Amino acid sequence: TVGNDNNSDENNSATTPLGIVPHQIRGSLVSYTLMTPTVPAFVHCTGCAAAVVDAYRSDKMELVYQTCQPRGHEALETLSGLTEFRAKANAQLEAMEDDDAMWDDDEEEE
């Protein structure tokens, strides 16, 4: 579901001429089966985030060219907002680790 973040029926039934394009395909070697889980699209997906789709629609060749450069993945990550999302997540994780360290120090004093 390209560039649409809501959970409407229209969003869930979007197809292509070849059928629904899954974000994941999971397989089981034990039962020799494939499964395509249905989950909402990640807002910062480098393949279908609204900003990525808009950039592709406005200048396909430039987006593909930038992405194919040696560090092209960084351009997609920045465009989709994934870089900022990771930075915020890392800051929150560090804050949690600092809180844990503070609690550990309090326990040692007792």
Side-chain angles (χ1 to χ4, degrees), residues 1 6-14:
T1 338
N6 63 27
N7 289 326
S8 68
D9 289 335
E10 176 185 307
N11 186 30
N12 295 330
S13 64

Side-chain angles (χ1 to χ4, degrees), residues 1-4 46-59 63 79:
T1 338
V2 177
N4 194 350
T46 57
C48 69
V52 174
V53 173
D54 291 344
Y56 180 77
R57 287 181 178 151
S58 69
D59 193 353
L63 180 66
L79 182 61

Side-chain angles (χ1 to χ4, degrees), residues 21-91:
V21 179
H23 277 78
Q24 296 181 23
I25 299 175
R26 295 186 181 192
S28 170
L29 292 175
V30 174
S31 62
Y32 298 104
T33 58
L34 293 175
M35 179 181 92
T36 54
T38 304
V39 297
F42 179 49
V43 171
H44 303 294
C45 176
T46 57
C48 69
V52 174
V53 173
D54 291 344
Y56 180 77
R57 287 181 178 151
S58 69
D59 193 353
K60 294 175 176 82
M61 294 307 294
E62 181 62 21
L63 180 66
V64 171
Y65 175 78
Q66 291 298 324
T67 303
C68 291
Q69 296 305 306
R71 301 195 55 93
H73 67 283
E74 292 176 355
L76 275 180
E77 290 173 359
T78 300
L79 182 61
S80 69
L82 187 59
T83 302
E84 183 180 349
F85 176 79
R86 284 182 177 161
K88 287 179 182 177
N90 285 335

